[in-house]
Amino acid sequence: MPRSAANAATLTVAGKEDVAEGVVSLTLAHPDRARLPDWTPGSHIDLILPDGTTRQYSLCGDRWDPHTYRIAVLREPAGRGGSAYVHDELRPGDRVGVGGPRNHFPLVPSHTYLFIAGGIGITPLLPMVHQAELLGTDWQLLYGGRTRSSMAFREELTGGHGDRVHLVPQDEQGLLDLTAWLGEPRPDTKVYCCGPAPLLTAVEAACAHWPPYALRTERFTAAPRTAPVRNTPFEVELRRTGRTVTVTPEVSVLEAARRAGADLLSSCEQGTCGTCLTPVLAGRPDHRDSILTDHERAADDCMFPCVSRSRDDRLVLDL
């Protein structure tokens, strides 16, 4: 069993639906129709498939529905097999494991929101749109996709929100015009973006002159990582277990901690899912994840040991 499955709930696939070309949505429910844990816009779950594969998917349904979760899965021919299993093998009535939900992409209060989605990146933004609408907050959605037929939930978005939603199919209109949308900084606006890596890179560049913390992004794949700060061994004290381990360059902190007996859950092991978030009690981590903001990294009070390392000779972790 994957370590992420240790605290997972068993849910039933209550529904499966094609929502775009190459995209299916799954509705998940407790077998006894019990209430599911609450969640907030930006949350994701670990989906643990019957074959043992674990993948992370954003919740994109109605957060006020206490009995079901909805996720959407893009078929990825070059992926590691999880999406193919969902598309080809998973059926209504099947049981799956679900870990979470967790939220590393929260919707913070703002006078105005600009949501930018690329392809399946619409999934974490969809509940944010609904939340902003519920609160009466001003918002706009810029949604790009390869073709109109490949853009999931387009009818759900355009049917209820009119000219706030701007669909930009690439084969009809080209790439998103980020200069037009982000050229002039707006101090009262928060920008939320999710999509493929080139889109995130372009949006980050376009927002470089915006106020600090105006942009929040979520990545489905890890951002490119530079070389670690140090390439020599360091010690990690596991405060709760009372053990100290030496972490060599070829071993992750996660792996070293597990060898020393720490019961630490993980899933992606790429610094994108957030499962292994660990408090730091002393020392300075070398943050190498794709989740924490610059402000959160500067605090040095937590780290993702699957990819992050140490800047100092010694780290003390709450493990």
Side-chain angles (χ1 to χ4, degrees):
M1 175 183 291
R3 284 183 174 261
S4 59
N7 295 324
T10 298
L11 302 186
T12 299
V13 179
K16 181 178 180 180
E17 178 186 2
D18 292 322
V19 292
E21 179 184 320
V23 182
V24 297
S25 71
L26 299 180
T27 300
L28 307 174
H30 193 279
D32 300 324
R33 295 296 296 172
R35 184 185 182 99
L36 300 178
D38 294 337
W39 58 281
T40 53
S43 296
H44 70 272
I45 59 171
D46 295 319
L47 183 70
I48 305 155
L49 299 170
D51 68 351
T53 301
T54 301
R55 297 290 183 268
Q56 291 73 46
Y57 296 105
S58 297
L59 290 170
C60 59
D62 180 2
R63 62 172 294 214
W64 304 109
D65 178 353
H67 298 294
T68 65
Y69 290 155
R70 182 177 72 171
I71 61 173
V73 180
L74 170 69
R75 180 188 288 275
E76 299 183 85
R80 295 177 291 163
S83 67
Y85 189 99
V86 170
H87 277 254
D88 299 335
E89 306 293 337
L90 205 60
R91 299 285 183 269
D94 288 350
R95 301 287 180 92
V96 295
V98 170
R102 294 183 301 278
N103 196 344
H104 298 290
F105 190 44
L107 185 68
V108 300
S110 180
H111 181 270
T112 305
Y113 296 104
L114 173 60
F115 303 112
I116 304 177
I120 198 64
I122 189 60
T123 51
L125 301 182
L126 189 58
M128 296 186 183
V129 165
H130 295 326
Q131 181 75 1
E133 186 72 9
L134 179 67
L135 296 174
T137 306
D138 187 24
W139 62 272
Q140 298 279 318
L141 169 65
L142 183 61
Y143 180 11
R146 181 173 45 83
T147 64
R148 190 174 297 271
S149 62
S150 71
M151 300 171 72
F153 307 116
R154 63 188 183 280
E155 293 92 351
E156 180 177 328
L157 286 160
T158 57
H161 303 300
D163 59 4
R164 290 180 183 268
V165 177
H166 307 270
L167 298 184
V168 185
Q170 185 176 344
D171 63 338
E172 299 176 20
Q173 303 178 40
L175 297 175
L176 300 179
D177 187 353
L178 297 179
T179 301
W181 286 89
L182 300 171
E184 291 295 328
R186 283 167 271 168
D188 62 348
T189 300
K190 291 286 190 296
V191 180
Y192 279 76
C193 180
C194 185
L199 173 63
L200 296 179
T201 299
V203 170
E204 288 169 348
C207 286
H209 59 301
W210 280 57
Y213 314 122
L215 173 64
R216 291 296 300 258
T217 63
E218 181 166 67
R219 293 179 177 271
F220 292 136
T221 58
R225 286 193 287 269
T226 58
V229 170
R230 58 185 295 155
N231 197 33
T232 54
F234 56 91
E235 290 189 337
V236 173
E237 178 187 339
L238 310 178
R239 178 62 57 86
R240 280 187 277 160
T241 64
R243 299 193 63 179
T244 297
V245 296
T246 299
V247 182
T248 55
E250 68 277 5
V251 175
S252 70
V253 175
L254 174 68
E255 184 178 357
R258 282 179 174 169
R259 290 177 180 176
D263 185 15
L264 182 56
L265 300 181
S266 68
S267 181
C268 74
E269 301 194 6
Q270 298 178 11
T272 60
C273 75
T275 304
C276 64
L277 181 66
T278 300
V280 175
L281 303 179
R284 298 177 302 157
D286 175 13
H287 296 288
R288 299 169 59 75
D289 62 274
S290 302
I291 300 173
L292 297 178
T293 65
D294 290 342
H295 179 72
E296 292 166 334
R297 292 181 179 209
D300 280 342
D301 58 1
C302 65
M303 67 180 286
F304 295 97
C306 63
V307 292
S308 296
R309 302 188 67 80
S310 179
R311 303 172 67 90
D312 298 328
D313 291 336
R314 186 179 182 86
L315 273 179
V316 181
L317 303 181
D318 187 19
L319 290 173

